[in-house]
Amino acid sequence: MTHRYFYLTVAAIFLVLSLCSGPSWAAVGCDLNDPERDVPRLFPGSTRYDTVTVELLKLGGDALRAKVEMRLRDKLRGLYEAVDVPYTIYVIYADKKRIGYIHGVNQKGRYGGIQVFVILDLDARIKGYYIQRMSGTYAGKFRDGEFEKQFIGLTLADFDQYDVPTGKGTGKVAEIKNPAPEAIIDFKFTMRGTKKNLILVDEFLKNSPELSLKDGASTK
C-alpha cells in the first residue's frame, strides 16, 4: 500500500505541474542561448544590444498572420507559429548607433525543432547566419560555416524567389546547396524557416513602434 500511495502521489504531482505549466506552452519563442556571448560573436563590431519582444497578435492579429502566410505562400501551423508567439528582436548597436538586428525563429524539422537565426544589417541584408538547434546526425553540416556563408548578402527579395510548397527557387537562392543529401526534408524546412524569418522581420520593422525608430536611439 505504501508503494501504491507513493506512485499515486507522484502521478498527482506531475498532473498538477502539467496543468499549471499549460499556458506557458501556448506560445513558443526563440531566443539566443547566451546573448552576452552570442551577440558579439554573431555581430562583430557591436558594443551592446537591446531586445524588443513582438507578437503578430499585438501588431495586427489574424490579419497580419494572413499577410505573413500570403507572403510565405504557406500556412503557419502549430505551437511554433501561433499568432501569440513572442518573437525577440536583438537590436544591435555600435555605441549609440544602431547597426543591425539578430532574429531567430523556431521551425518544425523532421526530428524536432530547428532554430534559424539571421544576422541583418539595417537594410535587412543577411550578414550572418546561424542554426542554433537542429536534431539529426547531419546537424553539424548545417551548422558549418561553409553552409552558413551561402546566405550572406541575400535579402527577402531573393527569398521571394523561393517557393515553400515545392522547395524550389530561382536566382541566388537557387544556388544554396544542401550540405547533407540525406537530409533533403530538413534542408527544405531550413529554407522555409529562413524565408519566414525574413518576412517576419520585415513586418516587425514596419509595424512595431519600438523598431521603427529612425535616429538609431536606444529602444530602452
Side-chain angles (χ1 to χ4, degrees), residues 38-148:
D38 293 334
V39 169
R41 176 177 62 84
L42 295 172
F43 212 121
S46 61
T47 60
R48 67 183 183 88
Y49 68 90
D50 287 344
T51 58
V52 175
T53 302
V54 292
E55 298 177 13
L56 292 176
L57 180 63
K58 294 179 180 179
L59 294 181
D62 289 335
L64 183 55
R65 175 177 179 165
K67 183 178 179 182
V68 171
E69 290 179 332
M70 179 186 69
R71 299 181 70 181
L72 185 63
R73 295 197 289 276
D74 195 20
K75 291 289 185 181
L76 299 179
R77 305 177 180 88
L79 292 178
Y80 289 159
E81 299 179 341
V83 71
D84 61 341
V85 166
Y87 293 94
T88 300
I89 304 277
Y90 298 86
V91 185
I92 312 301
Y93 295 88
D95 297 323
K96 295 183 178 181
K97 183 179 180 181
R98 184 185 295 194
I99 58 175
Y101 310 94
I102 298 175
H103 182 250
V105 297
N106 284 306
Q107 166 63 50
K108 177 184 176 182
R110 183 177 182 184
Y111 299 112
I114 301 171
Q115 293 184 332
V116 181
F117 281 83
V118 290
I119 298 88
L120 305 169
D121 64 18
L122 292 180
D123 295 321
R125 185 178 302 275
I126 297 175
K127 65 190 304 315
Y129 189 82
Y130 175 46
I131 300 293
Q132 179 169 262
R133 173 186 174 188
M134 174 183 278
S135 300
T137 57
Y138 44 75
K141 296 179 181 179
F142 283 86
R143 302 183 69 187
D144 183 81
E146 290 301 310
F147 176 66
E148 294 173 347

Side-chain angles (χ1 to χ4, degrees), residues 5-26:
Y5 176 79
F6 172 78
Y7 288 127
L8 288 173
T9 301
V10 171
I13 291 172
F14 276 106
L15 176 60
V16 171
L17 288 175
S18 65
L19 291 174
C20 291
S21 62
S24 66
W25 284 75

Side-chain angles (χ1 to χ4, degrees), residues 133-200:
R133 173 186 174 188
M134 174 183 278
S135 300
T137 57
Y138 44 75
K141 296 179 181 179
F142 283 86
R143 302 183 69 187
D144 183 81
E146 290 301 310
F147 176 66
E148 294 173 347
K149 73 180 184 181
Q150 296 183 84
F151 295 84
I152 295 177
L154 301 183
T155 66
L156 177 55
D158 295 305
F159 270 87
D160 279 340
Q161 307 307 312
Y162 179 78
D163 184 63
V164 167
T166 63
K168 296 180 179 179
T170 59
K172 294 179 181 179
V173 75
E175 298 174 7
I176 298 174
K177 305 300 182 184
N178 178 9
E182 71 277 20
I184 183 62
I185 294 176
D186 272 346
F187 176 67
K188 290 180 179 179
F189 280 137
T190 299
M191 295 291 284
R192 180 188 185 277
T194 304
K195 182 173 183 178
K196 178 179 73 172
N197 196 332
L198 293 170
I199 291 170
L200 288 172

